[in-house]
């Protein structure tokens, strides 16, 4: 199976965030927030690869995996995907390695449309970043094909 053209591609929310400052806003400290993924319609050719979905804000946040939702159309037969985080820098300057299966591991989207939460076994942890944390999907088995869609949201608590 081939890697789709331009991997990683970008979902609509992530693409809009590239030029926006995601700095801290103290007026939302302690607030539960949603980051909408926006409907991503695949148009990079059939294959495997990565899709940047959304970047959560800088500072300390806690992602609530069971309150995060991923909704897909039916991908090619046998298609599976993971959801994780790109590498980021903690506020103290240490680098946190990319974690491609932090929230979803081998979820099957090839058997039909999928509407599920992130993995319930995923750790509820504080993510502490200078630049924000990017959530991304890796289609690593089977294919995502042109016209396939991804949508959903990520719920998190902003600590500071």
């Amino acid at each position: 199976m081939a890697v789709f053209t331009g991997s990683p591609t970008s979902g609509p929310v992530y693409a809009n965030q590239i030029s926006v400052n995601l700095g801290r806003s103290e007026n939302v400290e302690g607030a539960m927030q949603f980051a909408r993924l926006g409907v991503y319609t695949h148009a990079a050719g059939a294959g495997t690869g990565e899709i940047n979905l959304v970047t959560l804000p800088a500072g300390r946040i806690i992602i609530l995996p069971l309150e995060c939702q991923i909704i897909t159309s039916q991908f090619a037969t046998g298609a599976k995907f993971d959801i994780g985080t790109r590498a980021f820098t903690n506020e103290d300057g240490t680098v946190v390695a990319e974690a491609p299966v932090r929230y979803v591991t081998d979820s099957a989207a090839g058997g039909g449309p999928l509407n599920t939460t992130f993995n319930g076994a995923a750790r509820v942890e504080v993510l502490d970043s200078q630049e924000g944390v990017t959530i991304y999907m890796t289609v690593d088995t089977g294919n995502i094909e042109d016209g396939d869609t991804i949508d959903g949201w990520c719920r998190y608590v902003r600590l500071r």
Side-chain angles (χ1 to χ4, degrees), residues 55-127:
T55 298
L56 302 178
R60 294 170 48 97
I61 61 172
I62 298 174
I63 295 176
L64 306 170
L66 289 176
E67 296 190 33
C68 297
Q69 199 76 15
I70 190 77
I71 303 159
T72 71
S73 61
Q74 181 174 342
F75 293 2
T77 302
K80 292 184 179 180
F81 66 85
D82 305 320
I83 296 179
T85 56
R86 297 278 185 209
F88 59 93
T89 306
N90 274 339
E91 289 183 313
D92 68 5
T94 59
V95 175
V96 177
E98 188 168 282
V101 295
R102 180 171 254 142
Y103 298 114
V104 175
T105 305
D106 286 334
S107 190
L114 183 67
N115 185 341
T116 188
T117 62
F118 284 12
N119 183 352
R123 298 178 302 190
V124 175
E125 61 186 324
V126 176
L127 301 178

Side-chain angles (χ1 to χ4, degrees), residues 26-74:
E26 300 304 324
N27 63 346
V28 294
E29 186 173 318
M32 220 176 270
Q33 299 180 319
F34 288 92
R36 175 82 194 273
L37 303 181
V39 179
Y40 167 79
T41 302
H42 189 70
T48 59
E50 299 175 349
I51 303 152
N52 293 318
L53 299 172
V54 69
T55 298
L56 302 178
R60 294 170 48 97
I61 61 172
I62 298 174
I63 295 176
L64 306 170
L66 289 176
E67 296 190 33
C68 297
Q69 199 76 15
I70 190 77
I71 303 159
T72 71
S73 61
Q74 181 174 342

